[in-house]
Amino acid sequence: MDKKFLVGFDVGGTKCAVILGAAGADGELEFLERGVFPTAEFREPERCIEEMTRLADGMLARHELTNDRLHGLGVSCGGPLDSRAGVIQSPPNLPGWDEVPIVSMLENRFRRPVRLQNDANAGAVAEWKFGAGQGVESMAFLTFGTGLGAGLILNKRLYTGCCDLAGECGHIRLAPFGPAGFGKAGSFEGFCSGGGLAQLAAIRVREQLQRGIPVEWCPTAADLCAVTAKTVADAADGGDDLAIAIYRECGEWLGRGLAVLVDLLNPELIVIGSIFARSEALLRPAMEETLRGEALPAAAEHCRIVPAQLGEKIGDYAALSLAMGEY
C-alpha cells in the first residue's frame, strides 16, 4: 500500500510539536514519531524554526525517509497570519514572531509543499477529515478553550475569508455588558471560553461574598484570581449550586452564539472542542433550550451539535491534515 509521508508543525505559545505521520490509501492516518520542546527555549522565531527542522530531520533519518518522499508539510499556528503568503503576523501568544515567512523558510529547507493555517482552521480540517465531522459537507468547529475561535467547512472546502479572518465568532458582541473577550465586553468569547468562564465566575462569586453567602471553592475575594473554568467545573460536578448556575449561564450564552452561526451558515454540524467536550453535561441543557428559542426552527432542527472527538491529539491531527492538503 502506498503511503503519503507527512510532517506537521504545531506552533504554540507554550510548546511546539513536530509530528511525522503517514496517510494510507484508505485515508487512515498513522503517527510515526513526535517531538516537543518549550517555545520559550528559543526567543527568536528563526531559532525555533531551526529546532523544528532539526527534529524533523532526525525523524526522517530514523525512518529512512528522504525529503523527496514527503507528500507535504503542514503548519498550525495561532493567528493572525496570511495563509496565502505563508507568513505569521505577530500572534499575541508568540511575541517576536512579526511577519515571519515560515512557509518559504520550510519550503527552501525541505523542497516540498508547505501549508499554513491558523489553529482553529487547522482544527476544523482535522475534525472534518478524522473526527466528528467525517462525511459532512458543511460544519463549523469551535475551539472553546482559552479563547473562542472557529474554523468553517462550507461545501466541502475550508473557508478562510479574504484575509484569513473568517470564523472569528468570538468577536461577536452578544450583550452590551459582561465578561470580556477579544477586548470586547459581552462578546461571545467573553461568555464562552476558559478565560470568560473565569471572569463570569468571579462576577457571580463576588456577588455571593458581598451578600455574606460563603462559597466553598472560593472562600474570599482574594481567592478570585485563582479561579479557573476547571475550578468551577469541578465544583459543579460535585453538586455545588453556584457552580452549576455559572455553567448554565455559560450554556445560555453558548446557545445564543450558536444561533447566530446556525441562522447565518445553515450548517449540518457544529463541532465544539475543549471545555464543551469535557463539560457537555453542564452546558448542553441550557444551550439547547436557548438555541431552540433563538434560531430558525428548521435550521436548528437540521444542525447537530457534538463534542470534538480528537481530544488532546487534535493539534497533531491538525498539522498533519494541513500537510495532506485537499481542503
Side-chain angles (χ1 to χ4, degrees), residues 297-320:
E301 180 183 348
H302 285 85
C303 179
R304 293 183 295 121
I305 298 170
V306 301
Q309 286 185 357
L310 300 180
E312 298 301 318
K313 296 199 73 174
I314 190 168
D316 296 354
Y317 274 100
L320 293 182

Side-chain angles (χ1 to χ4, degrees), residues 27 44 49 67 80 93 105 117 124-126 129 147 158 165 169 173 210 229 231 244 247 251 254 285:
E44 297 83 13
I49 293 168
N67 291 350
N93 65 338
M105 294 169 72
Q117 290 291 340
V125 174
K129 286 183 174 292
L158 175 67
L165 290 176
C169 60
R173 194 189 298 276
Q210 288 178 352
T231 307
I244 292 170
Y247 263 83
L254 178 60

